[in-house]
Structure formats: structure tokens, C-alpha cells
Amino acid sequence: MKLIKEIKEQKELIQTQGRIIKKRDLGKIFFLELSDFTGSIQVVVEKPELLTKLQDLHPETIISLSALVKKSPSDKPELHAQSLEIISAVEEVPDLELQSKEIKENLDTQLKHRAIGLRHKKNKAIFKVQAKILEAYREFMTNLGCTEIFTPLLLASSSEGGAEIFHVDYFEKQATLAQSAQLYKQIMVGVFDRVFGLSKCFRAELSNTRRHLTEGSQLEFEFGYIEGLETILKHEEAALRHILKKVYKDCQVEMQTLKAQELMVPKETFPTYSFKEACQVLTEKFNIDTLEWDDLSTEAEKLLCQYARETYKSDFIFITHIPKGAFYAFRDDNGIIHNVDLLCKEMEISSGGRRIDDYDQLRMSIMAAGMDPKDFSEYLSIFKFGMPAHGGFGLGLERLTMLICNQDNIRQTTLFPSDPKRVASQQL
Ligand code: 4AD
Ligand code: MG
């Protein structure tokens, strides 16, 4: 059996198999577009006994055939079927149109039939790009000396604080779903110094927006012996530059299919503004009153991205020292938090920062957040046994994919999205 990309003109019959993507019925002759993961090829079917076999079949049918390879009028190899076997017959029309250039159905309908809809060329392009992002991230992090880790998703208590926690029945007891890999990636810095991973995060947030999921994925990074927040910014920026370079080099066809323009990356380092400086920009340039703010609003994020694009020709901007910080975020003697959000194009795509590395401070911070240090005893124990200055970030994989692929809804860049109305793409 030959893969489609291996098919070249030759004298002997070749055997191949694949999925019929298109069928053109001209009566005494059929033209099929046959595809496998390596590409697609035109098949000409003229023999009457083969035509009868195909008569009532629809695209998506799986066939195997033996054929002669000839040159098509457009100078590409073309198959002329000599015998043909139906491996998996499709006798009905799917609920979604898979052959159309653009996806025609609205998002609700698309998600209702997600399993089939993912076969559309545009959806395949999105998830090819996503896979490339992951490949590039793994490559970058491995080269940096980071060890890849998988952290638990079933937890006894909170990992980020706040109320956005899913509780699950766990035999006679209750467990929670991880809000992030935060505590475990810190624990693993105590083991390997430098770690990274791809982790799921579950957020019980009633946010029906185009950028929120209840089950998301984060590109995680945690790094020991940092010199300060700058170390995190430096590695995060380099990781993103590496991802973009690889995607734009290896996914040109997909980017064209998606009509996605390259994100703007400045020649110099990404613009970096402290929260205070960002608020000044918002007030001076956009006339926004930020006096009471401890975090950026969605609108403010959008405006700061616009500002970065106009001023620095950059789709990326770091905002540091945001007053609203997680319980594990490091505060200096002036009470300033050493954290950072990365904004891209219009929204936050990652959060990160230096972490508290002092046992007593961390214990107090947990209590100040209204939580019980007893629930964190395993995590807290590492700070009694030597922890270097450390920090990292969590970067939303679906949001990054959405911005690279020029999609306007995060559900389009999640294979089987969960949100307040759906679980794994199916409406509740
Ligand atoms: O900003 P978040 O909540 O930060 C953390 O989880 C920290 N543990 C990160 C760290 O290392 N300090 O989440 C990080 C990123 C967000 O910027 C966003 O891109 C994505 O994860 N994210 C979500 N994406 C979609 N839907 C949601 N509900 C998301 N929550 C977070
Ligand atoms: Mg955040």
C-alpha cells in the first residue's frame, strides 16, 4: 500500500487507500479526490463495474484501490482505477458541509457535530498549528534544560485560591479539579530546578465569553535560581519567538487556509510596562479613569494592545507588577508584587511571576486569602527544605492558538470545548 505522497508515475499498478473527499459524477466517468494524512490525489473511475460500486456512496467513504498512475492535465500524478474495494461505506449526508471552502454552519451547529466537523479543512489546519505550537514549546523548553512533567488533575484542595473550583464526588469524600499546575510545578522545581509541561486547568467560572473555557490547557513553565522577574520575561519571550518562527516556517499551508496573518513581533524586546505605567497610558491616551484599579479590564487590555501595535509594531506587551496577585505571588519590601501578564493582540494570554519562597510568608499569605494552611501542608513542606528563588508562567494554549490562527472564538481552537453550557462540546 502506498501513501498518497509516495505515488509517482510508473508502469506497474499501485495499491493505495484513503478517504473520498469529493466525488464528481459525470455519468460514464467519476472523478474522486482521495486523501490520506500525506495529501490528496485525483482518481479517475471509468470501468462500469466500478462505477456501480460508487454510485450511491457519499464523500467520507473509505476505499482501497489498485490503479495505474498517469499524468493529469495539470501535470500532477493521477490515478486510473483498475479495481476498487469499499472499506467503509458512507450512505448518508453528514450534518455539516465538509467540502465547502469556508465553514458555513454557526458555532452551535458546528459543536453539536464536532466529531465530524473537525474533519473540515479549516479545523484540521487549526489543530495542525496547535500541534506545531506544542512541538515548538517542547523543543524550546527541552533545550533550556527543563524537564517535562505531568501534574495531577484530581486534587484535595485549591491550587489558585478563589471560588472557581469544580468539586467532584470522590467515593465517600470530595475532591476538586485542578485550577492549574501551579503548586505542583513549584514542588517540581525543588526536584529538577527547571520544569515545563502541558497541563489542564478547570475553572468553574460562569463566563460565557469568546475567550473563556471551563476546561483549558496551559503551557506551564517554572524555573529555579531566577535573578528576578526579568528572567521569566526573557524565557517567555524567547519561547514565544521560537513557537512563532516554527509555526510560520512549517505551517504555511495551514496559515493560508486560515487566512491568518503573522503576528507582529518587534525587532527589539517585547514592550514592557508596569501596571502603573500602563494605567498612565490608559489615562493619557484613552481618557480612562484607573484610580481604583488593581487589575486591568478586558477593554483596557484591548487598548494597551492597540497602543503596543501603534507604538512598537508589536502584537505583544508585558504588563508587570499588577496589584491584584495570587496568594503565592512574591511581594517585595515595598509591597509591590513581582508578577506579569502577557497581552497579545487584544487579550491576556499568560500570567506568571516570581513566587514566595519563604515558608512563614507563604503560610501567612494562604491565611490572608481565607484558606487553611493545613490544606496546603504538602506544598508548604518544600519551603522548609530549601527552595531557590523561582518563578514561571502559565500560557493559555487555546488563546494562543486562537490568535495565531486568526479565530474569533476560543471554542474553535479547542477540540471538544467545555463552557458553562457544554461539556466536551455537547450541550447539557
Ligand atoms: O492567569 P491564570 O489563571 O494564571 C495561572 O493559572 C497561574 N498558575 C499562572 C502562573 O504561572 N502564575 O491562567 C494562565 C493563562 C491565562 O492567561 C489564559 O491564557 C489561560 O491560562 N486561562 C484560560 N483560558 C481559557 N479559559 C479560561 N477559563 C482560562 N483561565 C486561564
Ligand atoms: Mg491571569
Side-chain angles (χ1 to χ4, degrees), residues 26-44:
L26 303 184
K28 289 196 174 138
I29 181 165
F30 277 8
F31 290 101
L32 309 177
E33 189 180 336
L34 188 76
S35 99
D36 70 9
F37 77 100
T38 66
S40 65
I41 191 164
Q42 172 150 279
V43 184
V44 185

Side-chain angles (χ1 to χ4, degrees), residues 400-415:
L400 180 63
T401 313
M402 178 179 166
L403 298 172
I404 291 181
C405 292
N406 189 29
Q407 300 299 300
D408 53 30
N409 194 306
I410 197 164
R411 291 161 188 77
Q412 288 160 318
T413 58
T414 311
L415 282 175

Side-chain angles (χ1 to χ4, degrees), residues 109-145:
T109 312
Q110 284 179 49
L111 293 177
K112 195 169 163 202
H113 308 289
R114 191 61 165 164
I116 302 298
L118 285 170
R119 294 182 188 177
H120 192 284
K121 198 174 170 185
K122 288 228 165 193
N123 284 329
K124 284 169 78 171
I126 291 171
F127 294 101
K128 274 284 179 193
V129 169
Q130 189 165 84
K132 190 57 71 176
I133 293 173
L134 292 171
E135 185 189 327
Y137 186 69
R138 174 174 280 138
E139 185 176 78
F140 178 88
M141 287 299 166
T142 308
N143 285 339
L144 195 62

Side-chain angles (χ1 to χ4, degrees), residues 245-290:
K245 204 168 145 197
K246 200 160 170 109
V247 166
Y248 295 149
K249 182 170 155 280
D250 294 353
C251 297
Q252 289 176 18
V253 174
E254 286 80 5
M255 294 295 287
Q256 268 168 18
T257 303
L258 295 164
K259 298 197 184 95
Q261 292 214 328
E262 292 191 9
L263 293 175
M264 273 200 286
V265 180
K267 281 206 185 75
E268 309 289 318
T269 52
F270 291 178
T272 303
Y273 279 60
S274 68
F275 181 78
K276 215 167 139 191
E277 290 163 342
C279 286
Q280 258 164 20
V281 169
L282 289 166
T283 308
E284 285 165 19
K285 300 256 175 220
F286 301 103
N287 212 9
I288 292 177
D289 180 6
T290 61

Side-chain angles (χ1 to χ4, degrees), residues 167-184:
H167 296 271
V168 287
D169 287 339
Y170 197 72
F171 305 111
E172 304 288 286
K173 305 239 164 76
Q174 284 269 301
T176 69
L177 295 180
Q179 295 158 289
S180 80
Q182 185 62 40
L183 312 186
Y184 292 89

